Amino acid sequence: MGRGTGIFGSSLLIGAVLGVIMTAVVLAGEAAVSTNEFCTSCHSMTYPAKELKDSSHYGALGANPGCKDCHIPQGLENFHLAVATHIVDGARELYLEFANDYSTLEKFDERRLIMAHDARMNLKKWDSITCRECHRNPQPPGDDAKAAHKKMETEGATCIDCHQNLVHKEVDETDLNASKSQGKMVVKVEAVEEEEDEEADEEEDDEEEDDEEDDEEEK
């Protein structure tokens, strides 16, 4: 009886020690893969990292956020989200890093909208928890902004639904609710209309230039 109890106690102690060691390894590993240095070890991430430092979010109120501050939920209560993000998104992006050519910014831009949308959908899923770490109780000035924030409270919208293209190079905004319900990326109607208007304006400018050239030739 005494010997069995001793063996059980020793096993329990060994298990507890191993549990502590494993927890420390996981926490240290999570911290290591959340650094800017680790993120930018992939060449493609050097582009958005530079954009971050050039944005209004960097240096504002003395804060210098890193990749993790926006893209990885922080705190022990969100640790499961951080680990899941690194495992799922990290594995996918690592594969895409090798499967695609990101050697130039132009090539990176070919997939920028897709990557931006994936990041937005993560924030949507997390109820913009990383945004709220800094913007805890926003009080927007102006009636339009206040109405928009009221909509957030009453219709289940979250920060990222409206606040897109704040840090990185601008791409089309996406409708996150529609994307979620349809299971595919849906570009906001306003963005499509603006793009069509820009194309129409460019065509008009080209036609005007052609007309001017024709007039000059006739003269």
Side-chain angles (χ1 to χ4, degrees):
M1 184 78 174
R3 183 180 178 185
T5 303
I7 293 173
F8 176 76
S10 298
S11 299
L12 194 62
L13 178 61
I14 292 171
V17 171
L18 289 175
V20 170
I21 293 173
M22 289 180 65
T23 300
V25 168
V26 172
L27 288 172
E30 177 60 30
V33 298
S34 295
T35 63
N36 284 6
E37 290 74 20
F38 180 84
C39 294
T40 55
S41 63
C42 284
H43 175 70
S44 62
M45 291 298 103
T46 61
Y47 305 131
K50 182 180 183 304
E51 292 163 3
L52 166 63
K53 289 187 177 180
D54 292 339
S55 74
S56 59
H57 265 70
Y58 198 80
L61 302 177
N64 294 325
C67 308
K68 68 178 178 62
D69 295 306
C70 295
H71 295 288
I72 304 294
Q74 301 298 299
L76 286 176
E77 69 278 12
N78 300 312
F79 187 70
H80 63 295
L81 295 177
V83 172
T85 300
H86 276 127
I87 292 174
V88 177
D89 292 353
R92 179 188 64 203
E93 293 304 324
L94 184 61
Y95 164 75
L96 292 172
E97 185 74 21
F98 290 103
N100 294 284
D101 181 3
Y102 294 139
S103 59
T104 66
L105 180 58
E106 290 72 24
K107 293 183 185 228
F108 180 80
D109 284 342
E110 291 175 6
R111 292 198 71 254
R112 184 183 285 271
L113 176 58
I114 297 172
M115 290 186 281
H117 177 67
D118 288 342
R120 293 166 183 170
M121 289 302 289
N122 272 346
L123 286 166
K124 175 74 171 176
K125 179 174 60 179
W126 303 330
D127 191 23
S128 299
I129 191 170
T130 54
C131 303
R132 299 174 193 276
E133 282 295 314
C134 293
H135 306 282
R136 294 179 182 273
N137 186 29
Q139 300 293 327
D143 293 337
D144 290 344
K146 288 178 180 177
H149 274 237
K150 192 66 178 177
K151 178 180 179 181
M152 177 180 72
E153 297 172 3
T154 58
E155 296 184 16
T158 186
C159 310
I160 194 61
D161 283 291
C162 298
H163 299 285
Q164 301 179 15
N165 294 322
L166 292 179
V167 174
H168 302 298
K169 185 175 179 179
E170 186 171 334
V171 292
D172 288 340
E173 294 192 3
T174 47
D175 188 322
L176 306 184
N177 286 327
S179 297
K180 184 178 179 181
S181 63
Q182 296 180 32
K184 63 180 181 179
M185 181 174 67
V186 178
V187 176
K188 284 187 177 181
V189 175
E190 296 88 345
V192 174
E193 290 177 347
E194 287 176 4
E195 189 173 327
E196 290 175 348
D197 289 341
E198 288 177 1
E199 290 177 355
D201 290 340
E202 288 177 0
E203 289 178 0
E204 287 180 5
D205 291 340
D206 291 340
E207 289 176 359
E208 289 177 359
E209 288 178 3
D210 291 340
D211 291 340
E212 289 176 359
E213 290 177 359
D214 291 340
D215 291 340
E216 288 179 1
E217 288 177 0
E218 289 178 0
K219 291 178 181 177

